[in-house]
Structure formats: C-alpha cells, structure tokens
C-alpha cells in the first residue's frame, strides 16, 4: 500500500468518478470468494469501486480489511462506495502512474 497525498487522492477520485462499482457487498458480508474477485479485478483495472448495499455502518472497517487483504490503498469512501487503488505489477500497464507523479 502506498500513502497518497491529498492531490493524488483527488486525481484518483476524478478518474474513479465515471466508473461503476464492480463489486457489491450484500448480506453475506465480505467473503473469501469476494476477496479473490476483488484482488483479480484490481489487478486488471488498478482503480475500482466497491458498493456497500449492506453493512453500511461497518463500511470503514470492512474497507480497511479489504485493502489489507488485497494490498491496495483505500482512496476514499464516498457515500456507500469505496474506491481502491493498486498499481499494476507490470510497469508498462500502469494507467495512473504518470498522473500520480504529477499530482
């Protein structure tokens, strides 16, 4: 996980704004299967949104738990949606790195 400056957070929030949530947390909570799915999705997209349909009171704790398990940075929680970022392993496939360096 990386520490983001406020400018970097704003940059990632701006890029996440048009994205739809790729995962929804429902009545079953955060399952091991969902963690695997989230991990593979963030490896592909770098920047993803997760919507909390249930567990809205625990979204902060659950988001921190998810970010630890998938080794990603929790960018921000807006409403009931959490934004996560993890740079692609292949440096040639990194979509947001140059923007983060400028921010």
């Amino acid at each position: 996980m990386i520490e983001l400056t406020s400018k970097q957070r704003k940059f990632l929030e701006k890029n996440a704004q048009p994205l739809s949530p790729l995962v929804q947390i429902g009545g079953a909570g955060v399952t091991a299967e969902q963690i695997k799915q989230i991990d593979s999705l963030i490896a592909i997209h770098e920047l993803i949104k997760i919507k909390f349909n249930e567990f809205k009171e625990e979204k902060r704790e659950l988001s921190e738990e998810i970010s630890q398990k998938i080794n990603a940075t929790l960018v921000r929680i807006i409403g009931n949606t959490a934004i996560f970022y993890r740079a692609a392993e292949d440096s040639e496939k990194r979509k947001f790195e140059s923007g983060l360096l400028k921010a």
Side-chain angles (χ1 to χ4, degrees), residues 19-25 37-38 40-42 44-51 81-82:
L19 302 177
S20 296
L22 295 178
V23 178
Q24 295 187 13
I25 306 299
Q37 179 187 16
I38 294 166
S40 64
L41 286 169
I42 203 163
I44 295 166
H45 299 284
E46 289 187 285
L47 189 64
I48 64 168
K49 288 168 125 176
I50 297 176
K51 174 100 172 146
T81 304

Side-chain angles (χ1 to χ4, degrees), residues 18-80:
L19 302 177
S20 296
L22 295 178
V23 178
Q24 295 187 13
I25 306 299
V30 181
T31 64
E33 191 60 41
Q34 278 183 316
I35 294 293
K36 288 180 191 173
Q37 179 187 16
I38 294 166
D39 192 45
S40 64
L41 286 169
I42 203 163
I44 295 166
H45 299 284
E46 289 187 285
L47 189 64
I48 64 168
K49 288 168 125 176
I50 297 176
K51 174 100 172 146
F52 288 89
N53 291 335
E54 302 289 331
F55 300 99
K56 294 175 183 177
E57 313 310 319
E58 297 92 7
K59 64 187 167 205
R60 166 75 48 201
E61 295 82 15
L62 290 173
S63 295
E64 293 290 342
E65 178 185 329
I66 292 167
S67 74
Q68 293 289 329
K69 289 184 178 179
I70 64 170
N71 194 29
T73 301
L74 174 61
V75 177
R76 180 135 7 245
I77 297 175
I78 301 171
N80 292 314

